[in-house]
Amino acid sequence: MPHQLRGAAAITGLGITPMGRIYGKSSTDFAVDAVRLAIDDAGLEKSDIDGLLINAGITGMTGANGVGLQLQNALGMGDLRLLNHMNAAGSTAAQMVQYATMAIDAGMATHVVCVFADAPLQQGSSSAAAYGNAGRRSGPTGILGLSAGAGHFGANTAYALAAKRHMSLYGTTQDQLGAIAVAERSWATMNPRAKMQDPLTLEEYHASRWIVEPLHLLDCCLVSNGAVAVIVSPANQAKAMPQPPVYVWGMGQGHPGDARRAGDAAETETGARLAAETVFRMAGVGPEDIDVCELYDCYTYTVLVTLEDYGFCKKGEGGAFVEDGKLGPGGSLPTNTGGGQLSAYYMWGMTPLSEAIIQGRSQGGERQVEKNDLILATGNGGALSYHASLILSPHAN
Amino acid sequence: MADETPTKPVSQPDELTEPFFAAGEEGRLLLATCVVCKEMRLPTSPTCPNCLGEGYEWNQVSGRGKVYTFGIMHQRYHPAWEPELPYNIAVVELEEGPRMPANIIGVENDEISVGMPVEVVWELEGEIPVPRFRPLA
């Protein structure tokens, strides 16, 4: 018996603004643009929208004018039946679709817009500064301050430490991390929206400067200004809407949190394990059934450990799994087919989700995969602290 | 001009952690221990994240542990740390279980390894004692 929610809702609208070093717009401005694009894409009127879920990016976490509930006013949307401003970092995009699906099934709303927007880049300032300043904004006291006191700054540090732990435990190599960067870039060469469209060799990967060993520059995601909005609708209405519906088959979450206690191993065994149990159970499928992966890739390592935790290979074997190029074009497990956050655009969980929708609609153009029956899209946030995922399909059931 | 030299962000003792830093000045490492379930916790918090019990006491621990993981920082991030680039960052798993962020001293960066036995060394940064670790002799 399939789960009652499997196929109950579908993604019917997708709006992607221009992204990258685009200045002169606030994250709220970007969000309005994305919502307008998504409504047009879905063939709806603004008045059809009765749910709005909002996720600000880093600017929402630093008090730097992140998009918030005021977006409702900017959109001129009254009479909403569902409204919230959500934040579980990079896992939020998938979560918004989950809560929208449940609300639609419960009869609380009909067409729910889920939007992510961020504008951390400022003219004349580096990508590192966009996130670095955020990490430096306060000097925690007490034992929490020991990290900064030891020069541990920013997300790059946390993920380098996690990757190094994995490399040490399982013999994962720099070449294997590099294989992920190379595979994603191969996909990005076919994505007109991708920021980095030049092909990449493993040699060029190794030659890119160190950020925090064992992470090179090309192990790390981009930083982008922009917004992405998606619309979730009831399955029975989706069929009659203009875009090919992308149905929600599975939903899962897993959150180890940030307070690592003695014995925790979230660096190498992440929240994706819990999410995998739930998402596969709901969809009634297993990893062997997944045709395409769109995995949150703030770093190459995140992809590797996520593949392990979803059971595509055994724990510790992620390096060997990715090394043969199976994630790239023509490979047996097409992954991050738009170039991901490493090579295309950094819209947090909306990067994997937007590409999953494009592939589910068979609108990937040159990079469209042949088989797209089941697509896994994941989101991850914090220092491997928060995780959520969706299994999507072009088939209603 | 001295005032314009950037200083490293050093953790300031607060009400909860004053004993931790005071012991550090004497070269001793204390961890808060729940009086209910006896779990040692790091960072310190008013209630126990394991059993939610209230109340804790400070217990001296061995100060020994192993490198749980480490990295080498190359990124220009904080101006006061720039002269030290590339410097190591590590997480040390103490014998008693909790893990501490720290730097490894007394060893070249390329000689650090995961699992390396280390012991705490308190160094003053300004007037504040900072726990660092060196390879166990």
Side-chain angles (χ1 to χ4, degrees):
Chain A
M1 269 293 287
H3 190 280
Q4 59 162 14
L5 271 185
R6 189 179 101 172
I11 297 169
T12 55
L14 172 64
I16 303 177
T17 70
M19 295 167 296
R21 289 202 164 270
I22 297 162
Y23 306 115
K25 286 193 175 208
S26 70
S27 55
T28 302
D29 298 334
F30 280 116
V32 170
D33 290 346
V35 171
R36 183 199 311 111
L37 290 167
I39 290 172
D40 289 348
D41 182 64
L44 295 170
E45 301 293 328
K46 191 179 79 171
S47 55
D48 296 321
I49 303 299
D50 58 1
L52 175 62
L53 300 177
I54 305 160
N55 174 214
I58 192 70
T59 51
M61 299 173 85
T62 59
N65 202 23
V67 62
L69 290 175
Q70 79 278 9
L71 177 63
Q72 180 189 14
N73 304 329
L75 289 167
M77 288 183 175
D79 296 329
L80 289 177
R81 296 176 190 271
L82 189 77
L83 172 70
N84 218 323
H85 182 218
M86 315 191 92
N87 179 18
S91 74
T92 315
Q95 290 198 31
M96 290 192 294
V97 172
Q98 295 174 1
Y99 296 123
T101 297
M102 291 186 276
I104 290 166
D105 185 67
M108 291 178 65
T110 303
H111 298 290
V112 180
V113 174
C114 308
V115 59
F116 167 91
D118 207 359
L121 292 172
Q122 293 176 1
Q123 205 150 11
S125 180
S126 72
S127 295
Y131 271 65
N133 290 337
R136 212 158 62 206
R137 67 193 182 279
S138 61
T141 60
I143 291 170
L144 277 177
L146 292 180
S147 283
H152 295 213
F153 300 114
N156 296 334
T157 303
Y159 281 85
L161 291 169
K164 182 68 184 183
R165 178 75 183 162
H166 196 281
M167 294 167 100
S168 172
L169 281 181
Y170 303 116
T172 309
T173 67
Q174 203 78 52
D175 277 354
Q176 292 166 343
L177 293 180
I180 295 169
V182 169
E184 293 203 18
R185 183 64 64 82
S186 302
W187 288 112
T189 63
M190 298 183 279
N191 182 359
R193 284 195 182 90
K195 167 89 172 165
M196 314 287 273
Q197 296 193 19
D198 294 333
L200 175 70
T201 65
L202 196 58
E203 291 67 34
E204 288 165 332
Y205 161 82
H206 282 295
S208 73
R209 64 185 163 89
W210 289 116
I211 300 297
V212 187
E213 285 177 57
L215 300 181
H216 285 285
L217 177 69
L218 296 180
D219 285 298
C220 306
C221 63
L222 305 162
V223 177
S224 313
N225 290 351
V228 178
V230 305
I231 297 176
V232 185
S233 306
N236 59 7
Q237 296 196 27
K239 290 179 193 70
M241 293 169 71
Q243 292 289 353
V246 177
Y247 295 91
V248 179
W249 272 40
M251 316 193 289
Q253 298 185 18
H255 308 290
D258 262 340
R260 303 288 157 74
R261 290 168 46 213
D264 287 353
E267 293 88 354
T268 51
E269 296 171 33
T270 73
R273 290 178 310 155
L274 276 183
E277 285 176 24
T278 316
V279 77
F280 284 136
R281 187 171 60 227
M282 179 173 168
V285 303
E288 66 281 2
D289 300 312
I290 297 296
D291 301 307
V292 192
C293 283
E294 306 296 349
L295 306 180
Y296 197 95
D297 56 338
C298 44
Y299 301 89
T300 50
Y301 171 67
T302 317
V303 173
L304 188 151
V305 75
T306 303
L307 287 165
E308 290 179 358
D309 287 336
Y310 276 91
F312 290 99
C313 61
K314 287 185 185 151
K315 178 51 64 184
E317 295 180 1
F321 185 76
V322 303
E323 196 167 25
D324 68 358
K326 69 166 62 65
L327 307 187
S332 59
L333 187 64
T335 295
N336 294 355
T337 51
Q341 304 189 99
L342 298 177
S343 284
Y345 47 88
Y346 184 58
M347 289 284 111
W348 288 19
M350 282 295 185
T351 299
L353 179 58
S354 58
E355 180 66 14
I357 296 165
I358 291 166
Q359 290 289 341
R361 290 175 170 184
S362 298
Q363 293 174 351
E366 197 189 346
R367 69 182 191 281
Q368 177 64 41
V369 300
E370 272 181 42
K371 194 165 183 309
N372 65 350
D373 295 330
L374 289 169
I375 305 166
L376 174 67
T378 69
N380 155 78
L384 298 164
S385 314
Y386 317 108
H387 187 96
S389 60
L390 299 166
I391 291 175
L392 302 172
S393 175
H395 311 294
N397 47 54
Chain B
M1 289 299 285
D3 288 343
E4 294 174 19
T5 306
T7 56
K8 290 180 183 173
V10 175
S11 182
Q12 303 293 318
D14 56 21
E15 204 173 334
L16 269 179
T17 55
E18 193 279 328
F20 175 86
F21 291 96
E25 285 184 31
E26 301 167 3
R28 298 184 299 129
L29 179 60
L30 304 187
L31 289 185
T33 309
C34 176
V35 296
V36 181
C37 75
K38 308 300 179 194
E39 177 162 301
M40 286 186 159
R41 57 194 195 239
L42 192 67
T44 313
S45 52
T47 53
C48 175
N50 183 45
C51 74
L52 306 185
E54 293 180 289
Y56 59 92
E57 57 192 18
W58 290 97
N59 285 328
Q60 184 168 339
V61 295
S62 66
R64 288 189 297 272
K66 289 179 176 172
V67 174
Y68 181 75
T69 184
F70 71 99
I72 309 297
M73 185 77 165
H74 291 259
Q75 195 177 15
R76 289 169 58 238
Y77 204 111
H78 194 287
W81 279 90
E82 272 195 48
E84 304 198 23
L85 292 173
Y87 62 86
N88 73 73
I89 54 173
V91 176
V92 171
E93 185 166 63
L94 300 171
E95 279 183 351
E96 294 79 7
R99 296 183 202 138
M100 285 182 72
N103 309 111
I104 309 297
I105 61 170
V107 60
E108 296 297 320
N109 285 344
D110 60 8
E111 291 170 359
I112 302 170
S113 59
V114 171
M116 173 185 268
V118 291
E119 63 184 353
V120 73
V121 187
W122 290 86
E123 295 191 326
L124 284 179
E125 197 71 61
E127 295 182 345
I128 306 291
V130 175
R132 300 199 165 108
F133 287 82
R134 68 180 170 209
L136 196 59

